[in-house]
Amino acid sequence: MLDSPSYVPKANPKAVVTGYQRPRYCCARCSAVLALQDELVSKAFSGREGRALLMHSLMNIQVGKSEDRTLLTGVHTVADIFCLGCGVTLGWTYLRAFEPSQRYKEGKYIVETQRIIKDNDWQLDHHIAGPLQRQKQWLKLELEDISFGEIIKFGKFQSAHPCNTEQFKVYGSADETEDMTELLQSSLNNDDVPQSFALKHHNDDGVCFPCRFIKIVPLTPASQTYNMSIWHVSLYGLSDRGTVRRVHDDFVNYRETVTMRLILKHLRRRRYKAYQALLDETGLSIEHPLVSSLYETLVVQGDLARAEGIFISFAASGLLDVPSRARSVSTSSKKYARPSTIWRRITDTNADGGTPCARGGHASVMDPERGIIYIFGGWDGSQDLADFWAYSTSQQRWTTLSIDTSARGEGGPSARSCVAAAFDNRTGDIYFLGRYILKPTLSQSYSQTSMAGNSGEEGIGARTPGTTALPRMRRMRVSTGGGTPTSGTAGSPAVVYAAPRSPQEAVTALTIPSSSTLVSSTAGPSIVASEGTSVNPSPTSDFYRYSTRGPNEGKWELLSRDTANDDGPDLAHDLAMVMDCEAQTLYAFGGEVYTPGETGVRYGAMYSYSVQTGKWRKLFCDPAPGTQSASRHIPSRDGHSMVFDSLARKIYVIGGQRDDHSLSNMFTYTIANGAISEMTMGERSPRPKAIQMLRATADEASREIYVIASLASPHRTNSLGEASVPQNQTMLWIYSMDENTWTPIIEPVHRNDVSWDNDLGSQDGEPEPRPRLGHSVVLDPGRQTFYVFGGNSGEGRRLDDFWSLSLIRPGIDDVLRKGKLNIRRQRFIEMCSSDSMLAAFQYLQSEISAVVDHQDEEESAGFRALLSFLLSRPPTPAEPPSIEKMDEDSVMGEADINMGDAAVVEEELSSVSKSFTNGHNHDTHSENTHEEGRAAGVVAMSSMEGSGRHTVDGDETHRQRTDLFERLLTFVDPSVKQPRANLVDLIRGGMDS
């Protein structure tokens, strides 16, 4: 409590001046305005009760009697100040300072922060009426103490509003005076649904850092003609003082160590003698001793042959940063470590020569232990399927498990599509939930198109507004002696056709071959609608389990006839499921709910299912229309993917569609505490597009999520209202769970020269699968191979092709080869300045050509550039005759180099050299760019160009060798090498000295 003053003036609330509609400080007791925000001088002061503010001037106060008082900064003449409205003591005013250094305080005021509140005047009318402010705006939050902010939640106005903030950034720092670190860049939807985002709280080295100050910077509003509003902000994280302080101290020590290592790196690069002195005095190690030996041998001594041997020894010492399933590669090595891909068409069959027929919207799971892929159901373009298949990756053979799982004696689900499935690695059980059912509205318009539309991801039941046509006849299977729906096999079942009459009447057969009998249906009476989709009068959400091993191997079990009656999910299609094998808990989320008689679309909630108890539990759902949810939730959707991270015990929800919009956002749900975060990155960061069909799988060993993005779904738009545009390539993206970064593996290109023949399906000669939707993707993590089956071509044709996509990651041998190539290229450049042209050419032909991958366009072009550089050298009298005049066959040898005429060589040198030059103004360009831009083994050609001078002086040689050393470090584990950053890069343009 504040000390009781000897003089307390009488309060006079009627005299309080009000009406200031600007950010201001007010009395915490009576809300009297004390000062505008502009009067703030500093927050770095202390009062009697703790932190205090220094203000230029105050209003609505009374000043007490003056007295000399000894404060922390010396003796001052001060007078206490009191609120005019309520009489509470606020602080004091400085009347006189006896120390010359303290006289700047005279006439100013100290205000205890516990006695005041800040009113930012966030009023709706004020934002609308005021002119648009073009200057930079931000909201700065100060926490009571340093904490780990893990999640930030933005509350919303009660409805969409033009003042709502759209794009924004969040920064944080532990101290108000230090530079703030960007923690988040994302965007808010213009609606009434609160949104939560994960905040960055560790740096690229994985070191955690706490924050006390949080700065939110709005970038753009929902409407460009209004100012920006932030209605409510909540922070979630760790605030335990002891834990946070310990981690903060560790971060301070880490920062001090990194600073010294940056200084050492700078001194060594500039060849200052102070480097060794500082190294001896601090006792720090800038890198592993073997790495230091490489620097001494390569850069200082210039012994390139011995340096190559040292680099080779890195492999035996475990210093190379080679990716594996157990550890993902570091950020600095992403370029050289990016895996290559190989597509392969699989044409294996079962014992009878059959394969699954063309379909889309089917369910598929992978048993990674046995290497078996299971495929069930789907839509073949005219009917739902109930066949069940297994493919063995080791035996390379299909097996027909069932031609009709709903047949008598099978006990499995009826024919269906858009069904979700999840595999339990622990027990070998497969769980099936959901299916597509067309709403029984017979008066609606129908279309005879089979394109995907608004009623299911695969496209069944698509409608075109304004089109009137008779319902398309449904093709139904008829028993003809055991026919099975296979691709390209004889004995296909006969068909009958039926048309709907009323929801109460069963299907009426129009034509039945005399030798056939109609297969009875286990799904009850049904009617038929567009494209043959069955419509049941009272469909239910049945829930099945199939056992692949154990005492019930090969058997189906009906776990629930209707999960909605068991406190579980409503009947929905295109939902997603994942399995927590350790906890034996299944999670189901989303899907478009079957809502007969309702207008609009409703999406499924997130549920958990306990295998031990057989009980469902709702975890969260969308708020009711027109209301705000008090709890955090992930906006529901259909057609999305879900993967489970067993290490962090998180569920990732990726992509999907909602209200005819395609989504590319990604959310996480933490099982332990129910925390929900939207995983975002900078707007310029690469990521899958919202207009692509996303299929996701995960490999927990490598901590990566793989997303195969294919054809956009017609009639869909993204969140910006952009229509879906079919693409001509299937793409693979890799997401790092630890680094929150996306990496495109198959680069997006415009392949206008490719024309897919939609009448023929995929052909054996095609190098990769055509873009599609409604397909299935599974991952064999042990083989790092994906399997893609079926789908909808987007032109109405279902596909029956089966593909594998293998990831080929660079291994130790490839890394060593690239390192040798870098070293030998530098040796060749120095030979061109000191040795004869013939010796340099022989070295190029034998030593460099031996480590060049001539199938790689980049390396092959670099090899030709070295040859062109050699040929451009002016001959000297001491040198042998020009290579151009030598016998061509003797020149080419094993290198197989096509030199061409002089004009071609000159043009090749010019074009290729430019591709190798990234700019070498060493004082102005970031050395990080040099590391990453040439990680694939590209040598800078700038020393070969310009003046045409071939003599490399000492400084230039040192620079080239230093660049080579840092290129080699891109292959080295970050924990054993010098820091990636550079001291000069910390000095930004326009900084005060």
Side-chain angles (χ1 to χ4, degrees), residues 357-369:
C357 67
R359 68 191 68 202
H362 50 283
S364 182
V365 295
M366 175 86 191
D367 181 349
E369 181 178 332

Side-chain angles (χ1 to χ4, degrees), residues 852-864:
V852 170
D853 180 2
H854 293 281
Q855 303 301 318
D856 185 284
E857 293 183 3
E858 188 177 27
E859 290 190 10
S860 181
F863 182 71
R864 294 193 302 270

Side-chain angles (χ1 to χ4, degrees), residues 348-357 359 363-365 372-377 385-392 397-405 430 432 484-487 489 546 556 789:
D348 303 321
T349 67
N350 63 7
D352 298 328
T355 61
C357 67
R359 68 191 68 202
S364 182
V365 295
I372 298 178
I373 302 169
Y374 295 91
I375 291 178
F376 167 73
L385 303 173
D387 54 340
F388 195 25
W389 294 77
Y391 178 80
S392 172
R397 179 187 300 175
W398 283 103
T399 299
T400 308
L401 300 178
S402 174
I403 62 173
D404 186 355
T405 56
I430 310 176
F432 296 89
T484 178
T486 60
S487 176
T489 60
Y546 178 82
W556 288 93
F789 177 78

Side-chain angles (χ1 to χ4, degrees), residues 547-624:
S547 298
T548 66
R549 63 184 81 147
N552 295 322
E553 181 176 352
K555 295 182 180 180
W556 288 93
E557 181 183 0
L558 178 61
L559 299 176
S560 174
R561 294 187 180 277
D562 190 357
T563 55
N565 290 334
D566 298 333
D567 299 324
D570 295 319
L571 175 59
H573 65 81
D574 292 316
L575 66 158
M577 296 196 302
V578 292
M579 186 71 191
D580 181 353
C581 302
E582 180 180 351
Q584 284 294 280
T585 303
L586 181 75
Y587 294 88
F589 175 62
E592 183 176 332
V593 176
Y594 175 69
T595 54
E598 294 185 16
T599 58
V601 178
R602 182 160 58 89
Y603 296 93
M606 172 74 87
Y607 289 87
S608 66
Y609 173 79
S610 172
V611 175
Q612 286 88 352
T613 64
K615 301 293 185 182
W616 288 96
R617 184 167 71 94
K618 181 187 287 189
L619 302 177
F620 59 80
C621 63
D622 285 343

Side-chain angles (χ1 to χ4, degrees), residues 420-458:
F423 185 80
D424 186 351
N425 293 337
R426 181 176 174 183
T427 64
D429 293 334
I430 310 176
Y431 295 85
F432 296 89
L433 180 66
R435 51 177 165 156
Y436 183 84
I437 299 292
L438 187 66
K439 294 183 181 181
T441 306
L442 300 180
S443 59
Q444 61 189 356
S445 299
Y446 289 92
S447 162
Q448 295 190 26
T449 178
S450 58
M451 295 282 289
N454 298 334
S455 41
E457 173 185 318
E458 213 290 320

